Amino acid sequence: MKRVYLSLFFACFFAVVTNAQTAPPATTPGPVSRVTYFDVLPLKTPEFTTFLRTNAVPLLEEQKKQGLIVSYGYFTKPTTEGPGDWDLGLVVTYKNYADAVDFSADRNAKFDAISLKHYGTADARTKANDSTNAMRTVTQTVLIRGLTFNPMP
């Protein structure tokens, strides 16, 4: 019996020592962003800009207001790699991967309600979104995650 207690004592002791020696993580995960790159078709920049200002920006603002997204922003690329290269980008930031990629009926209903309020009907929403195909091409979409490097222990 003495050996059992002694074994149990050392097992607990080593578990505590091992746990105490565990190094803190090197990084702290941050928010997740979906970055979409667009190639705005020739002579369509004014039309696409109007579409974004009229439709996309109000929707993104309402999504931000309701806490569905953390932030959003557009950016441009002043140089080109050739035909079909992106020239306008959109970054939409979410709190975490779950908000960015996992399906949630509740979140989906909120996104749907926001867009239906803006467009009026599902058909009008579909027609407006389909109209963007004549103005731009999506060249790439990527997910990125921000992180913070923690100080050395």
Side-chain angles (χ1 to χ4, degrees), residues 54-90:
T54 305
N55 297 298
V57 170
L59 292 173
L60 290 164
E61 281 294 327
E62 185 61 27
Q63 291 168 8
K64 183 178 169 184
K65 180 180 167 187
Q66 292 192 26
L68 296 169
I69 63 174
V70 174
S71 65
Y72 72 93
Y74 288 92
F75 54 95
T76 60
K77 181 178 174 187
T79 61
T80 183
E81 310 292 320
D85 190 24
W86 71 274
D87 47 15
L88 179 69
L90 166 64

Side-chain angles (χ1 to χ4, degrees), residues 28-35 68 70 92-104 107 142-147:
T28 301
V32 175
S33 297
R34 180 176 300 281
V35 183
L68 296 169
V70 174
V92 179
T93 303
Y94 302 87
K95 287 182 248 177
N96 51 45
Y97 273 117
D99 286 354
V101 298
D102 290 345
F103 176 77
S104 163
R107 285 176 58 79
V142 296
L143 280 175
I144 59 173
R145 179 170 214 162
L147 59 89

Side-chain angles (χ1 to χ4, degrees), residues 51 123-136:
F51 176 85
D123 287 339
R125 176 180 58 197
T126 300
K127 184 178 178 184
N129 289 331
D130 288 348
S131 74
T132 63
N133 294 331
M135 296 180 264
R136 57 90 177 121

Side-chain angles (χ1 to χ4, degrees), residues 6-79:
L6 194 58
S7 297
L8 189 57
F9 170 77
F10 281 113
C12 290
F13 177 77
F14 287 123
V16 169
V17 169
T18 303
N19 193 25
Q21 292 179 355
T22 302
T27 61
T28 301
V32 175
S33 297
R34 180 176 300 281
V35 183
T36 305
Y37 299 96
F38 301 105
D39 174 21
V40 181
L41 300 176
L43 305 175
K44 295 295 183 174
T45 299
E47 187 179 349
F48 189 53
T49 301
T50 300
F51 176 85
L52 294 175
R53 293 173 65 200
T54 305
N55 297 298
V57 170
L59 292 173
L60 290 164
E61 281 294 327
E62 185 61 27
Q63 291 168 8
K64 183 178 169 184
K65 180 180 167 187
Q66 292 192 26
L68 296 169
I69 63 174
V70 174
S71 65
Y72 72 93
Y74 288 92
F75 54 95
T76 60
K77 181 178 174 187
T79 61

Side-chain angles (χ1 to χ4, degrees), residues 104-124:
S104 163
D106 182 50
R107 285 176 58 79
N108 192 50
K110 289 178 183 178
F111 281 114
D112 194 47
I114 291 169
S115 64
L116 284 177
K117 182 179 177 186
H118 177 76
Y119 289 110
T121 66
D123 287 339

